Amino acid sequence: MTSDRPNLRIDADRLWGSLMELAKIGGTEKGGVCRIALTDLDRQGRDLFVSWAKAAGATIKVDQLGNIFARREGRDPSKPPIMTGSHLDTQPTGGKFDGAYGVMAGLEVLRVLHDSNYVTESPIEVAVWTNEEGCRFAPAMVASGVFGGAFTLDHALSIKDRDGVSFAEALRKIGYDGPEQVGGRKVGAFFEAHIEQGPILEREKKTIGVVTGAQGQRWYEVSWTGMESHAGTTPMEGRRDALVGAAELIVKCREIGNRPNGRSTVGVIESLPQSRNTIPGRVFMTIDFRHPDDGELTKMDAEMRAAAADIARRHRLEAKIEQIWYFPPSPFAKELVESVRRGAEQAGYPHMDIVSGAGHDACYVSRVAPTAMVFVPCKDGISHNEVEDADKVDIGAGCQILLQAMVERANT
C-alpha cells in the first residue's frame, strides 16, 4: 500500500560520511580497520554510534552481553519493534564495511525518520551485536546467538580469549556490561543490510542481493600429538611428526570442500615446539566447513573424521577433534524476503536471489523473529581484508531498500 511506503529518501552522502568517520576508529595504514571485539577501539566505535543515535532522537538500552538497542518509538509502543542492525567489531585485518554498513544503514533509517518527523506504527530499533566476528571470543555471533536461544548467557560470558580474558571481564572493562535481559522479548521483524562478501553480485551486475538464507557451518579445533625428536638423528620411517599429520589433513580438507557449493578453510595452525631442528610433536589447527545443504555438511564431517583417523594411524599420531560450533542452514522468512525483492523491483534496481556464504547475526535472530537480509556488491568480492571496498551508490541503494522494507513492515 502507498500509505505504508511514504516517499522517504536516505541521504547516501551522509551514510557514506558516517562509514568513513567510523572507519577512522581502528583505521590501518593499508586503509582497512582493526577494531577487535571488546577492546578500547570497540568501545570508541560503540560510543560514536550511541552519540549519533541519540542525536537522531533514539533512546539507548544495553543488555548483559553488550548488545546495544537504539529505539525510535512508534505510535503504538506495545507493538514489537521492527529491528535492523549488524556489528561494529572487525577482523584483525578487516575493512570499512563488513558489519559497520549494517549498523550505519540502520542509523541512517533513524536519521531519515527523525528529520522527516515521520512516526511509524511499530517502534523501530537498531541493534549493535557484540563479537560477531568471533576472532577474539569463539564462536562467531555468540551474542546474537544468546538472543536467539542458541547459547546460554553464562556460556557466552565465560568464553575466554587466547590470553585468558573472559567475555565478562572484557565487557566490564569497556563499560558495556548492560543491565537488560538478553532476548526474551518479541521482535516484529529483523532486517540486516550487508556487503555480499563475495563476487556474485558484482559479476552478475546486480545492485541488490535478495538473501533467501545462509549456509550451514561447522567449526572444529584439532589437536595432533606425536613426539618431538631430533631432526638429524631420527630416521624418516621412525618419526611421529604431528605437522605432517596436520599437513595431510589440510590437503584432504581442501578436497572435501571442493564439491558443489562446498567451502573448507584451515585458518589457524600452530606447531610446537617451534624449533627448526626438532620434529614437531604437537600441532593445533582449526577447520571451517560450510554448505547450504545440511546433509552435505554432515557428509563433509564424516569424511574429515575418517581421513584424520587414517592419517593418525599411518603416522602413529593421536588426533583429537572437537567440533566447537555447529550452525545449521538458515532459511529466511518468505514474506520479508519478498518485501526486499518487491522493494528492489519498484525502485528499479537490478537484483537477484542469493544465499549467504557467511554467517550473520540475522541467522540467529531468525530463530526468534521473521528475518531477511539485503546484500550489496563489494569490489572484487573481497572481504575480511583491508582492501575491502564498495560503491557509494550501491551502499545507498541497499539502505533505501532497507528503509522501505522496515517502514512497510512497521506500518503493517
Side-chain angles (χ1 to χ4, degrees):
M1 294 176 60
T2 305
S3 61
D4 293 339
R5 309 211 20 197
N7 189 28
L8 299 169
R9 303 296 302 176
I10 66 104
D11 183 336
D13 290 332
R14 178 171 59 185
L15 170 59
W16 187 265
S18 297
L19 278 164
M20 295 306 106
E21 185 69 22
L22 177 64
K24 293 177 182 178
I25 300 175
T28 66
E29 291 184 3
K30 294 182 179 179
V33 181
C34 178
R35 195 167 52 237
I36 305 299
L38 304 186
T39 60
D40 189 63
L41 289 172
D42 185 21
R43 178 194 61 76
Q44 292 178 42
R46 289 161 169 266
D47 288 352
L48 182 60
F49 166 77
V50 167
S51 68
W52 281 342
K54 286 181 176 178
T59 57
I60 304 295
K61 288 187 176 181
V62 181
D63 71 18
Q64 293 165 289
L65 287 177
N67 297 318
I68 304 168
F69 299 94
R71 181 181 177 103
R72 177 177 174 78
E73 202 57 82
R75 287 193 182 89
D76 186 351
S78 68
K79 286 189 172 184
I82 306 304
M83 190 183 291
T84 189
S86 195
H87 59 98
L88 292 176
D89 63 310
T90 74
Q91 290 286 331
T93 53
K96 299 181 180 76
F97 301 94
D98 176 7
Y101 169 50
V103 177
M104 293 299 99
L107 174 67
E108 180 60 23
V109 169
L110 291 178
R111 285 169 164 170
V112 170
L113 296 176
H114 181 68
D115 293 349
S116 306
N117 198 29
Y118 185 87
V119 182
T120 52
E121 290 296 325
S122 298
I124 297 288
E125 288 190 8
V126 180
V128 177
W129 304 105
T130 302
N131 186 59
E132 190 273 353
E133 294 292 358
C135 55
R136 182 180 181 190
F137 297 100
M141 308 175 316
V142 69
S144 59
V146 175
F147 189 93
F151 309 108
T152 66
L153 174 63
D154 288 345
H155 169 73
L157 291 173
S158 67
I159 297 171
K160 293 185 177 180
D161 65 11
R162 301 301 292 272
D163 296 321
V165 178
S166 74
F167 197 110
E169 291 169 332
L171 260 183
R172 284 194 296 271
K173 186 172 182 180
I174 68 166
Y176 273 88
D177 51 334
E180 300 294 323
Q181 179 182 340
V182 184
R185 62 189 177 101
K186 189 170 176 58
V187 175
F190 181 80
F191 295 90
E192 182 171 359
H194 212 282
I195 58 170
E196 180 198 345
Q197 300 184 280
I200 297 172
L201 293 177
E202 186 179 62
R203 185 179 67 209
E204 299 296 326
K205 297 181 170 54
K206 305 296 186 184
T207 303
I208 300 296
V210 181
V211 187
T212 58
Q215 63 185 355
Q217 303 180 44
R218 291 179 185 262
W219 282 13
Y220 306 88
E221 292 183 347
V222 183
S223 297
W224 294 91
T225 304
M227 182 175 176
E228 289 92 350
S229 51
H230 197 291
T233 61
T234 308
M236 299 302 290
E237 69 274 10
R239 297 182 176 209
R240 297 175 60 199
D241 190 329
L243 188 55
V244 168
E248 288 195 16
L249 187 61
I250 290 170
V251 173
K252 184 62 181 178
C253 284
R254 175 81 177 194
E255 294 176 10
I256 290 170
N258 191 24
R259 66 215 299 141
N261 299 313
R263 303 286 189 274
S264 65
T265 303
V266 174
V268 175
I269 183 163
E270 297 173 350
S271 173
L272 292 172
Q274 288 289 305
S275 171
R276 70 182 61 226
N277 62 346
T278 299
I279 296 163
R282 290 160 288 159
V283 172
F284 171 85
M285 61 185 286
T286 64
I287 301 172
D288 178 327
F289 282 163
R290 307 189 187 207
H291 202 283
D293 181 272
D294 203 37
E296 284 297 310
L297 197 59
T298 300
K299 290 179 184 177
M300 293 168 72
D301 173 270
E303 291 172 22
M304 181 271 291
R305 292 179 185 274
D310 175 65
I311 293 166
R313 177 187 57 79
R314 288 189 286 105
H315 294 288
R316 296 181 299 134
L317 304 171
E318 178 186 349
K320 179 184 176 184
I321 302 170
E322 181 181 3
Q323 179 180 286
I324 66 163
W325 188 39
Y326 165 59
F327 184 78
S330 304
F332 290 149
K334 291 182 180 179
E335 69 274 18
L336 297 194
V337 172
E338 176 56 34
S339 72
V340 172
R341 187 184 296 116
R342 184 171 60 250
E345 289 171 354
Q346 293 181 352
Y349 293 128
H351 62 279
M352 64 179 289
D353 287 5
I354 192 169
V355 174
S356 175
H360 298 282
D361 292 306
C363 300
Y364 277 135
V365 179
S366 72
R367 297 186 176 200
V368 293
T371 299
M373 293 189 71
V374 181
F375 274 179
V376 297
C378 54
K379 187 175 181 352
D380 299 324
I382 296 173
S383 184
H384 283 197
N385 189 303
E386 290 163 286
V387 302
E388 176 186 279
D389 199 6
D391 182 81
K392 183 196 293 187
V393 174
D394 293 340
I395 288 289
C399 186
Q400 183 64 38
I401 296 302
L402 176 70
L403 170 66
Q404 292 174 187
M406 291 187 71
V407 170
E408 178 184 60
R409 190 70 177 182
N411 289 340
T412 299

